[in-house]
Amino acid sequence: MKTVMSNKWTIALYVWPALLLIGCLIYIPLIMTGYYGMLEWNGFGPREFIGLENYSRLMQDSMFWKSAYHSFLLGLFSTASLLLYLAVSLILASKIKGAELFRKIYLIPMLLSSVAIAQLWSKIFDPSNGMINRLLISLGVENPPLWLSDPNIVLFAIFIPIIWQYAGFYIIIYAAALKNVPEEVVEAARIDGATPLQIALRVKLPLISSVFKVTIVLALVGSLKYFDLIYVMTGGGPNRASEVMASYMYGEAFTKYNFGYGSAIGFALLVICLIVTWLIRKLTTSKDDYQY
Amino acid sequence: MAKKRALYILLSAATLILFVLSGCSSSEPTANGSGANNASGGQTVVKFMHLWPEGSSNAQYTIADNIVKEYESNHPDVKIQTEILGNDQYRDKIKVLASSNELPDVGMTWSDGFMQPYVQGNLFTPLDDVIETNLKDAFIPGVKESYAIDGKTYGMPLELNISYIFYNKEIFENHNLEVPKTFEEFKNVVKTLNDNGVIPATVGNKEGWPGSFWFMYLADRIGGPTILTDVIDGKLQFDDPAIVQAATEVQNLVDMNTFEKGNSGLSNDEAKGYFMNEQAAMFLTATWELPNYTTSPDVDQAFKDKIGYFKFPLYEGGKGTDINSYVGGPGVGLFVAENSKVKDAAKDFAAFFVKEWGARSVTEAGVIPATKVDTEGMDLNPMYTEILNDLNSASNVTTYFDTQASPNVAELHHDLIAALFGKQITPQEFVKQTQDALDAE
Amino acid sequence: MSEFAAKKQSDLGKEMSKSGRSVGSRLGTGLLYLILSILAVFQIYPLFWLFLFSLKTNQEVFSASPFSFPQDPQWGNYAKAWTQGHINLYFWNSVWYTVAAVVLTILFASFVTFAITRMYWKLNRLVLGLFMIGLMIPLHSTLIPLFSFFKNIGLIDNPLSIILSYTAFNLPLTIMILLGFYQTIPREIEEAAVIDGCSVHRIFFRIALPLTTPVIATTAIINMIYNWNEFVFVNTFINSDRWKTLTVGVNSFVGQYLTDWGAIGATLMISIIPILIAFIILSNRIVEGMAAGSVKG
């Protein structure tokens, strides 16, 4: 057994193509980013090597930490929303009528590109013409919240479309995971008199725990480098109240021509992701898991 | 059998990877942006990049296309290879291209602050010689200078925009309002409109620059026409009392509910919606909007007939006493890449383009060109004729502050304007933070 | 909608009473359906909204309510999208880039995941870590280095640059998702196969791949959607019109000063149809997956 399954040539054959691809297209840029982070450079003019100056500036840059805090909040919300997605998936997996249709419908927002989603939600959030505020006004609320222009709530307002957009992504992963749960195990539990709720929580949930852990990492890392919708809908504003790490990086590198500093932010983002992933691994690994 | 298939797939995957890696040696004739090359038949290829896609800027696209064709038929040995991108995509791509020294031979640039890093990085070539021979005295005075750094001109302007307060005549008539000549009168108009439940003016501050129009005009009217330019030139400090006063007046307007609620979260397009749907009575914007009020087939004639414009009112006791001083500035212009291998052809084409653009752009696209246009005998919408005349009698056009400033200061300015309108900062903080950034340059 | 829910509820009621459940449980199921249906409305509404949006004039787009119907449906937006947005030209590029990248990604990711989880070698965790890190780099930091990389190997303005980028950037995510599934495949299956004299390749293609059909379909959907909607890479690495994709068509309606929102809506509407169809077909594969690859039983 072991000899067949540890054939070096086969392993090399399976792993090298992909490794080569990410080596060229991800690791080269990654190393370059770290290096650019040590330059005083606008992207095309003269380069000046300044060592770790950008990174030490970053440490003291309150704007960076503010954006990092916003990214963490987003990560927290996204992770919490996993429970909601999981609950929906468990319900849909419990053989109720129309589950397939519901699942398909829940995935629709994911098909839309960010341009469309941003347009839609800008309309929903519009301070006086928007759907939410029209509803609130008709309910007698005099000064409904200014969703995207009030610095105190903009961050929370913009989480809503993000969480909504990603519902499909996770529901579809959980659907596949739940599909993998052997029918016999569920049947056995049913015969033992377990209620659907017990089956979901005691039988199915433990069996998909490895997938769930993966999705936690995906949600956290995805949130930490999230960019699209925030950039289109608020551009990080107002008064930078919705600035996240990736939008801050983009602004520095591409709008303000501080490519060196922007790269330093990008690299710091990567390091933060690494630390977070490592922590998650520490918190969730059990001995029979592959460590990731 | 499965083994065979596996092997086949693996082999093809491996070949693909090998192909990628060996790509270094394979020279692709089409896949290369390094300036120009001699295509088959000894033709000179000039790469030209512009930002008027057929979809969003049909009129501009058509004019550009025709000019290119005309140039090619005049010069059979030259082939113009055009790449077209949307506005935001253009801005991103030009930076990436610049970083690899892959700029097109001829492309578009914005003036002042935008082009400065490119000029410093030696990416644009001076165009004074070609302007001298082909376009002498062709530009409206002062516009070309926005593209000059250290006495050399690096861009040939195509557009010029100035800003006005556009207003809905019907709403004004319904409430017996007159066009305000002074800021006091303007405030009264605001008050009347508010009392009648009409949004007086719309502004979208998500990107900051639309709100900056209000600030810049107030600075002009309070501190005199050169005040912001003086700040850029280092002759004046941004915390000048006149600028503090202008910022304070902006917040006074906000306190009077001049603008629609939540404007700091709205894009310019979204804010414009309030004006186009007649929920707001006024919209301070630049002449690029003119087609919407005159010729655009997408807008109701009934709406277009209701739209008029007036010059930003004078401020009682302010130093800017001339109502014919405008805030505005050039839009895009053409650059020629310094490392272009066909620089002469590129320069010649660029000059030809600018020359041809002038008259055509105003009649066919409703654009105010940066070159002088003789309106005699042209069949133009009256609003255009009036505005072109205004331009001739303009005493001053202050280039937008954010255009003049470096990208760093410009971005900060946008953020601070949004914060000023949102009352998250005081006028004092507004001027101080800007001054700090200016000092740090 | 409440009618729909009520009907569902009564349907369900019948079924439930057959199996002899209590009234409380019936109410509970009714409530469940109500919630599921409300969620469904939230999720399906954007499609309907997009359709209305695509028929509006620019003025209507910004008018009162997103619910409102266009007064005079602008079918011309579709014609405009087709001709001026060059959809006819871009459509097939989108299709084949997407398909090629999805196939490559899934194949490579399956190879890697299989090797990491099923085979015995020392460096497997390190390699997995390398792929994981690929998940963490922000896209915009990679643009300038990637551009110069492709320039050096002569792949600028070449579709390969797009397909390879899509593959490389989706590999880490795909591997992560596959990982959880490969871990659940019991070792006994391949032990038995090895004893029967199966080669590793045979185990991979004949056992591992069929067993993971549901998750392959899942990652195929995710990859497909990502590639279909991507435009930063296309915009940066491609110069000529003949290699551009649909998303570039969408962005060509965003102008310097004016944006044609109706035409954007129409382009988005047209571009969502193929992906919607592909999605429905693939998502059926998730369900049927186990039946098709019923090795497990």
Side-chain angles (χ1 to χ4, degrees), chain A residues 13-14 17-18 20-21 24 41-47 118-119 122-123 126-129 134 142-144 146 148-151 231-235 238-240 243 250-258, chain B residues 6-7 10 13-14 17 20-21 88 91-92 94-96 98-100 113-115 117-121 123 199 206 260-266 270 274 277 279 407-408 411-412 415-416 418-419 424-425:
Chain A
L13 192 64
Y14 280 15
L20 216 55
L21 205 56
C24 291
W41 188 36
N42 65 12
F44 39 83
R47 307 175 178 199
Q119 268 307 307
S122 298
K123 302 251 146 25
D126 189 282
S128 34
N129 293 336
R134 289 207 159 193
E142 277 196 10
N143 280 313
L146 305 170
L148 296 179
S149 27
D150 184 339
Y231 183 71
V232 192
M233 283 181 71
T234 69
N239 203 17
R240 325 202 85 176
E243 196 84 84
Y250 178 84
E252 286 294 324
F254 280 82
T255 319
K256 295 190 182 174
Y257 294 88
N258 299 329
Chain B
L7 220 70
L10 279 170
I17 296 295
V20 178
L21 288 178
D88 296 350
R91 281 173 186 262
D92 278 359
I94 200 93
K95 279 163 208 163
V96 177
S99 76
S100 295
F114 178 90
M115 68 189 293
Y118 294 87
V119 172
Q120 279 163 358
L123 293 162
I199 299 169
K206 193 174 95 182
E260 81 281 14
K261 270 187 209 160
N263 60 67
S264 51
L266 297 180
E270 284 158 354
Y274 284 80
N277 294 303
Q279 286 176 290
N408 257 323
E411 272 312 293
L412 179 74
D415 289 344
L416 291 178
Q424 285 120 25
I425 52 170

Side-chain angles (χ1 to χ4, degrees), chain C residues 67-81:
Chain C
F67 280 121
S68 67
F69 283 78
Q71 284 187 336
D72 172 23
Q74 303 288 310
W75 296 103
N77 284 341
Y78 281 87
K80 212 191 252 174

Side-chain angles (χ1 to χ4, degrees), chain A residues 1-285:
Chain A
M1 167 79 191
K2 281 232 170 188
T3 47
V4 180
M5 294 304 277
S6 55
N7 181 317
K8 287 226 159 51
W9 290 107
T10 315
I11 292 170
L13 192 64
Y14 280 15
V15 172
W16 270 110
L19 211 52
L20 216 55
L21 205 56
I22 70 155
C24 291
L25 301 188
I26 295 182
Y27 275 86
I28 291 179
L30 194 152
I31 293 161
M32 292 311 279
T33 301
Y35 167 66
Y36 291 155
M38 291 188 261
L39 300 177
E40 169 82 47
W41 188 36
N42 65 12
F44 39 83
R47 307 175 178 199
E48 192 194 336
F49 188 82
I50 53 168
L52 294 176
E53 206 175 288
N54 279 333
Y55 293 97
S56 68
R57 176 177 150 204
L58 193 70
M59 290 293 147
Q60 291 150 19
D61 182 352
S62 62
M63 195 52 235
F64 172 73
W65 292 111
K66 195 171 156 192
S67 70
Y69 169 67
H70 295 157
S71 292
F72 271 107
L73 272 185
L74 176 60
L76 212 65
F77 275 89
S78 308
T79 314
S81 60
L82 288 181
L83 293 173
L84 178 74
Y85 306 147
L86 187 65
V88 171
S89 305
L90 283 168
I91 292 170
L92 291 181
S94 66
K95 294 214 165 139
I96 62 165
K97 271 193 176 173
E100 264 320 297
L101 186 67
F102 278 125
R103 191 177 298 127
K104 285 202 180 85
I105 289 174
Y106 292 162
L107 280 158
I108 286 174
M110 200 187 152
L111 303 178
L112 294 171
S113 69
S114 296
V115 189
I117 295 176
Q119 268 307 307
L120 171 67
W121 284 86
S122 298
K123 302 251 146 25
I124 293 176
F125 281 137
D126 189 282
S128 34
N129 293 336
M131 220 182 286
I132 301 183
N133 279 4
R134 289 207 159 193
L135 188 74
L136 289 177
I137 290 167
S138 70
L139 291 175
V141 180
E142 277 196 10
N143 280 313
L146 305 170
W147 301 100
L148 296 179
S149 27
D150 184 339
N152 298 317
I153 49 178
V154 59
L155 206 56
F156 303 97
I158 207 156
F159 288 165
I160 299 172
I162 295 174
I163 287 167
W164 169 85
Q165 174 189 22
Y166 277 91
F169 179 87
Y170 293 105
I171 287 178
I172 198 174
I173 293 179
Y174 293 147
L178 288 164
K179 209 75 217 169
N180 242 12
V181 172
E183 205 46 48
E184 313 85 75
V185 183
V186 178
E187 205 46 51
R190 209 193 311 277
I191 291 164
D192 288 347
T195 64
L197 189 68
Q198 283 169 331
I199 293 178
L201 296 182
R202 299 266 171 81
V203 181
K204 290 181 178 171
L205 204 54
L207 282 171
I208 65 163
S209 69
S210 63
V211 174
F212 187 65
K213 284 175 199 164
V214 167
T215 57
I216 292 177
V217 175
L218 290 182
L220 269 170
V221 172
S223 306
L224 288 176
K225 60 171 208 178
Y226 192 79
F227 177 75
D228 290 16
L229 221 48
I230 291 187
Y231 183 71
V232 192
M233 283 181 71
T234 69
N239 203 17
R240 325 202 85 176
S242 61
E243 196 84 84
V244 289
M245 284 190 283
S247 65
Y248 186 45
M249 186 225 108
Y250 178 84
E252 286 294 324
F254 280 82
T255 319
K256 295 190 182 174
Y257 294 88
N258 299 329
F259 198 79
Y261 192 56
S263 298
I265 300 172
F267 200 74
L269 200 168
L270 185 125
V271 172
I272 290 176
C273 284
L274 263 178
I275 296 171
V276 168
T277 314
W278 181 78
L279 281 176
I280 295 294
R281 199 194 88 175
K282 280 273 165 207
L283 289 174
T284 60
T285 312

Side-chain angles (χ1 to χ4, degrees), chain B residues 138-159:
Chain B
F139 296 107
I140 292 172
V143 186
K144 180 169 64 99
E145 284 65 25
S146 291
Y147 291 85
I149 290 177
D150 296 334
K152 286 182 187 160
T153 313
Y154 292 91
M156 294 187 276
L158 289 168
E159 309 166 300

Side-chain angles (χ1 to χ4, degrees), chain B residues 32-35 96-104 123 339, chain C residues 147 151 156:
Chain B
N32 163 316
S34 66
V96 177
L97 292 178
S99 76
S100 295
N101 228 336
E102 291 283 307
L103 286 179
L123 293 162
N339 71 336
Chain C
F147 185 92
K151 181 186 129 187
I156 291 297

Side-chain angles (χ1 to χ4, degrees), chain C residues 87 91 228-229 246-247 250 266-276:
Chain C
I87 289 189
F91 183 83
W228 190 261
N229 289 329
L246 275 179
T247 45
V250 173
T267 317
L268 289 172
M269 201 63 209
I270 295 175
S271 74
I272 208 172
I273 291 166
I275 195 106
L276 193 66

Side-chain angles (χ1 to χ4, degrees), chain B residues 55-317:
Chain B
S56 66
S57 324
N58 199 286
Q60 284 94 326
Y61 167 85
T62 314
I63 299 172
D65 198 42
N66 287 336
I67 296 178
V68 166
K69 280 187 189 132
E70 212 173 301
Y71 189 82
E72 282 178 338
S73 69
N74 293 346
H75 301 79
D77 55 328
V78 178
K79 166 108 185 75
I80 310 288
Q81 211 178 75
T82 316
E83 184 186 356
I84 308 166
L85 295 142
N87 191 47
D88 296 350
Q89 282 68 47
Y90 184 90
R91 281 173 186 262
D92 278 359
K93 183 154 187 175
I94 200 93
K95 279 163 208 163
V96 177
L97 292 178
S99 76
S100 295
N101 228 336
E102 291 283 307
L103 286 179
D105 302 304
V106 180
M108 288 190 166
T109 177
W110 287 263
S111 66
D112 302 281
F114 178 90
M115 68 189 293
Q116 204 170 356
Y118 294 87
V119 172
Q120 279 163 358
N122 244 347
L123 293 162
F124 293 173
T125 199
L127 299 168
D128 299 280
D129 50 344
V130 69
I131 292 173
E132 186 62 29
T133 44
N134 293 352
L135 290 159
K136 198 161 196 276
D137 298 326
F139 296 107
I140 292 172
V143 186
K144 180 169 64 99
E145 284 65 25
S146 291
Y147 291 85
I149 290 177
D150 296 334
K152 286 182 187 160
T153 313
Y154 292 91
M156 294 187 276
L158 289 168
E159 309 166 300
L160 177 64
N161 291 295
I162 53 174
S163 47
Y164 295 99
I165 297 182
F166 291 87
Y167 72 109
N168 190 312
K169 290 190 271 195
E170 192 183 71
I171 299 180
F172 269 49
E173 273 161 31
N174 288 346
H175 302 292
N176 297 319
L177 290 169
E178 300 266 325
V179 165
K181 289 272 188 302
T182 66
F183 197 61
E184 273 316 303
E185 286 172 28
F186 177 80
K187 283 183 169 172
N188 286 332
V189 168
V190 168
K191 204 165 164 301
T192 312
L193 289 169
N194 257 328
D195 291 344
N196 290 288
V198 179
I199 299 169
T202 180
V203 65
N205 272 323
K206 193 174 95 182
E207 289 110 0
W209 58 263
S212 179
F213 281 33
W214 290 90
F215 161 74
M216 289 185 292
Y217 259 123
L218 281 163
D220 174 291
R221 298 303 191 239
I222 295 170
T226 58
I227 184 161
L228 291 173
T229 315
D230 286 346
V231 167
I232 296 286
D233 295 342
K235 289 185 213 154
L236 255 181
Q237 294 281 87
F238 199 78
D239 51 12
D240 190 89
I243 295 180
V244 179
Q245 177 77 18
T248 313
E249 284 293 358
V250 166
Q251 291 201 327
N252 288 343
L253 288 177
V254 173
D255 287 339
M256 291 175 67
N257 290 325
T258 308
F259 308 107
E260 81 281 14
K261 270 187 209 160
N263 60 67
S264 51
L266 297 180
S267 70
N268 184 53
D269 255 13
E270 284 158 354
K272 185 163 79 186
Y274 284 80
F275 186 65
M276 302 294 285
N277 294 303
E278 307 184 49
Q279 286 176 290
M282 294 180 279
F283 183 32
L284 171 52
T285 193
T287 42
W288 61 64
E289 285 291 336
L290 280 177
N292 269 339
Y293 313 137
T294 52
T295 50
S296 167
D298 296 340
V299 182
D300 272 354
Q301 192 55 43
F303 174 78
K304 291 187 222 165
D305 291 342
K306 287 179 202 167
I307 303 307
Y309 74 89
F310 60 85
K311 298 165 188 171
F312 198 91
L314 289 177
Y315 191 86
E316 297 80 352

